Amino acid sequence: MKNIILCGFMGSGKTALGRMLSERKKLRFFDTDEIIVEKMRMPIADIFAKYGEEHFRSLETETIKEFAGSENCVISLGGGLAANERNHPYLKEAGIIVLLECNIEETLRRISGDKTRPLTTDGSEDIIKRYNFRKPIYETVADAVVDSSGTAEETYKKLLSALEELK
Ligand code: S3P
């Protein structure tokens, strides 16, 4: 089975849903942020502070490239990975891409003030700008879009039907 890739903005539920899907369907789970943190042996906020955002973005590109040719994995992406068009060809090679789309009000509720994410210390106006800028870019690469504004169980059901339709 092709890999299933979950993309979307911060707080859209990529990691939580990815874990649920992999556990329930007995697939291997990967999270690009976790891969990078392990590789660099430091939290993302420290990678940004020490090496800069551009370096983190290159690590993301390297990470997704490595999935080409693999199968039976669920891969949750960091929010910026699919927002970067240079990664789109690698994403297409890595698997089926599902966009989790959470409305902006709920997104702000979920992520505002989160100190573990370097980009959420910006005020909500900046978060909204980034959200609106990225939305159409995510949509161009996605094979399916799933509304993830509700509970994890609600989103899980929607995700399963989207995957069914893609078969
Ligand atoms: C980022 C999202 C984060 C993480 C980093 C940058 C972004 O991942 O990769 O803080 O640019 O949207 P999550 O979407 O898992 O929070």
Side-chain angles (χ1 to χ4, degrees):
M1 200 195 75
K2 278 192 172 183
N3 292 335
I4 299 162
I5 302 172
L6 301 182
C7 78
F9 200 71
M10 293 173 273
S12 58
K14 303 176 295 283
T15 304
L17 265 293
R19 281 193 195 284
M20 275 170 85
L21 183 64
S22 70
E23 278 162 20
R24 295 180 188 186
K25 298 289 175 189
K26 307 276 178 275
L27 298 166
R28 289 200 297 158
F29 176 72
F30 294 93
D31 180 291
T32 60
D33 284 343
E34 283 172 11
I35 295 172
I36 293 170
V37 165
E38 272 171 31
K39 190 172 185 175
M40 299 297 286
R41 296 191 192 154
M42 62 173 85
I44 290 177
D46 293 1
I47 303 174
F48 268 62
K50 188 159 184 207
Y51 300 104
E53 180 173 348
E54 257 324 293
H55 184 68
F56 176 76
R57 299 303 174 198
S58 307
L59 292 170
E60 287 190 308
T61 302
E62 251 173 51
T63 304
I64 197 60
K65 273 184 178 176
E66 281 165 17
F67 284 98
S70 65
E71 288 189 320
N72 299 315
C73 303
V74 176
I75 309 163
S76 296
L77 305 181
L81 209 151
N84 192 338
E85 279 169 326
R86 79 173 174 211
N87 294 329
H88 287 189
Y90 309 125
L91 284 165
K92 289 290 183 191
E93 278 170 25
I96 295 168
I97 305 155
V98 180
L99 168 60
L100 297 183
E101 221 167 51
C102 176
N103 67 49
I104 186 63
E105 294 78 16
E106 179 60 19
T107 298
L108 288 172
R109 256 194 297 278
R110 292 182 189 175
I111 68 170
S112 306
D114 179 344
K115 300 218 169 37
T116 64
R117 291 175 165 113
L119 302 176
T120 49
T121 42
D122 308 337
S124 28
E125 233 176 74
D126 289 328
I127 296 175
I128 296 168
K129 252 193 231 153
R130 196 183 292 275
Y131 178 100
N132 288 330
F133 176 79
R134 285 182 176 180
K135 193 172 185 280
I137 308 176
Y138 292 143
E139 286 168 354
T140 52
V141 74
D143 296 303
V145 183
V146 168
D147 172 32
S148 65
S149 312
T151 64
E153 284 300 337
E154 282 164 358
T155 306
Y156 185 72
K157 278 192 200 128
K158 291 179 187 168
L159 176 59
L160 287 191
S161 29
L163 291 172
E164 223 16 75
E165 273 180 37
L166 284 170
K167 271 190 184 161

